[in-house]
Structure formats: C-alpha cells, structure tokens
Amino acid sequence: MEDIAQFFLEKLMIDERYGIAKPVDDQTLLLPRFLNTLEVCVDIYKQKYPNQSVTFAETYRSNSLQYKYFQQGASKIKADGMHHYGIAADSIFIINGKRTYKGDVMLLRKIYVDNGLTILGMWDALHVQLIPVGQQMQLRNAVSSKIKAFQNQQGIPVTGLVDDITVAKARSVFS
Ligand SMILES: [Zn+2]
C-alpha cells in the first residue's frame, strides 16, 4: 500500500493529465511493479498465441472521467477507482495489427490470476488490477494519510485532499 500511495503523491497527482476527462493509455502512469507483472502476463499469453499480443486501452483514469463513466452506466464507481491510483488497466488484444476484444479472454484472465493480480466479473472481463477488491478502501485511506502527512510536513492546510495548494507544493518538491 505504501508504495502505491507514494506513487500517487509523487507521480500521478502532479501529472498534467491528473484531471483529464479523456481516456489515457500511457503505461508510465502505472505503478512500476504492477506494469512489470502485466508484462510478464503478456509474455505468457504470447507464448500460447505467438501471432497475438495484448496491450492496454486504458491505464490511469481521472475522477472526472470516472464520473462520466458512472453517469453513462459504464461503471459502478463514482470516484477513486483503482485506475485512479495507477494500479488498474483495461486489456485489449492486438491481432493482425488491429486492436480487438476477440482474443482468448479466459486464458488472459487465468494468467492474471495465476500471477497474483485481481480480475473482476465478466461484466468487466478485461479489467485487471493489482490489489483485491477487499483492500480498496484500505488503499484510499493510505493515500489520504500520505497526502495529510505531506501537507503537515510542508506546513500547508491538512485536508487529505488533492487541492491546488497541495499539487503546487508537490510539484515543487517532486518534479
Ligand atoms: Zn478497468
């Protein structure tokens, strides 16, 4: 949890795409140890299907986009989903050079689970995340605590929220 919260503070919160209302597929916005595991999983998939590959249609997701998805009925979560912390990704296959959902979904899901990752139900079949659903609230609390500790350390109001003064301070410290 600690490294996820630190990554959020140092990298995601100060990124210019933090509030972007469009899908982002930049893999550098994923926690490195999560990305490493995804790469291992993709390699295993490619051993079975040498003519296919797997990439990620969405990595980081802002809360404004998350809320848009919620309003559209595309997501059950209003804010602070696991994509927001750089520890979730939505897989998509590449077959004959084209992005498609028609790969071996069940095999890919099995590979994710075998490698310690968490998948959701078939209603979100190609979503994969680092931590179990039962630990999500604990993560949100850890991030809030991390932000509070940073605010306290920097002598700015301790809100636990990603407000403008906190982002400005974090940018000056971490970038
Ligand atoms: Zn997802």
Side-chain angles (χ1 to χ4, degrees):
M1 293 283 158
E2 177 61 24
D3 66 330
I4 307 172
Q6 190 68 32
F7 181 74
F8 181 83
L9 180 73
E10 285 186 12
K11 172 90 180 173
L12 298 179
M13 197 181 79
I14 65 174
D15 193 277
E16 58 184 9
R17 293 159 292 182
Y18 179 78
I20 194 171
K22 287 187 287 189
V24 171
D25 66 2
D26 186 350
Q27 297 182 9
T28 69
L29 295 181
L30 296 175
L31 183 74
R33 73 178 163 100
F34 175 55
L35 180 57
N36 289 343
T37 306
L38 290 178
E39 286 169 347
V40 168
C41 292
V42 171
D43 282 346
I44 295 169
Y45 183 86
K46 282 157 75 173
Q47 283 166 23
K48 179 81 188 286
Y49 293 103
N51 298 322
Q52 297 186 22
S53 189
V54 176
T55 190
F56 301 96
E58 227 187 311
T59 56
Y60 169 77
R61 186 183 298 156
S62 73
N63 274 336
S64 55
L65 184 58
Q66 183 67 52
Y67 190 67
K68 201 189 271 186
Y69 287 166
F70 173 79
Q71 283 181 314
Q72 291 168 351
S75 175
K76 297 174 182 176
I77 298 171
K78 274 186 190 175
D80 298 333
M82 294 303 101
H83 285 275
H84 191 55
Y85 301 102
I87 58 163
D90 296 328
S91 331
I92 189 162
F93 302 95
I94 303 174
I95 304 175
N96 298 323
K98 285 184 183 156
R99 287 186 172 204
T100 172
Y101 292 106
K102 291 178 182 165
D104 191 340
V105 174
M106 297 319 290
L107 176 67
L108 185 61
R109 285 168 62 86
K110 182 181 183 303
I111 294 168
Y112 286 151
V113 172
D114 288 348
N115 284 273
L117 299 176
T118 293
I119 55 171
L120 302 178
M122 287 306 289
W123 46 272
D124 202 359
L126 288 167
H127 170 100
V128 58
Q129 65 183 56
L130 182 64
I131 64 172
V133 172
Q135 289 178 14
Q136 292 181 175
M137 199 47 75
Q138 195 188 329
L139 172 66
R140 293 184 184 104
N141 292 336
V143 170
S144 177
S145 297
K146 173 68 73 179
I147 293 170
K148 282 180 184 167
F150 175 76
Q151 290 166 332
N152 187 45
Q153 187 186 37
Q154 297 296 323
I156 58 176
V158 178
T159 60
L161 301 174
V162 183
D163 43 33
D164 290 347
I165 185 169
T166 305
V167 172
K169 188 58 92 172
R171 280 197 177 129
S172 72
V173 172
F174 298 118
S175 58

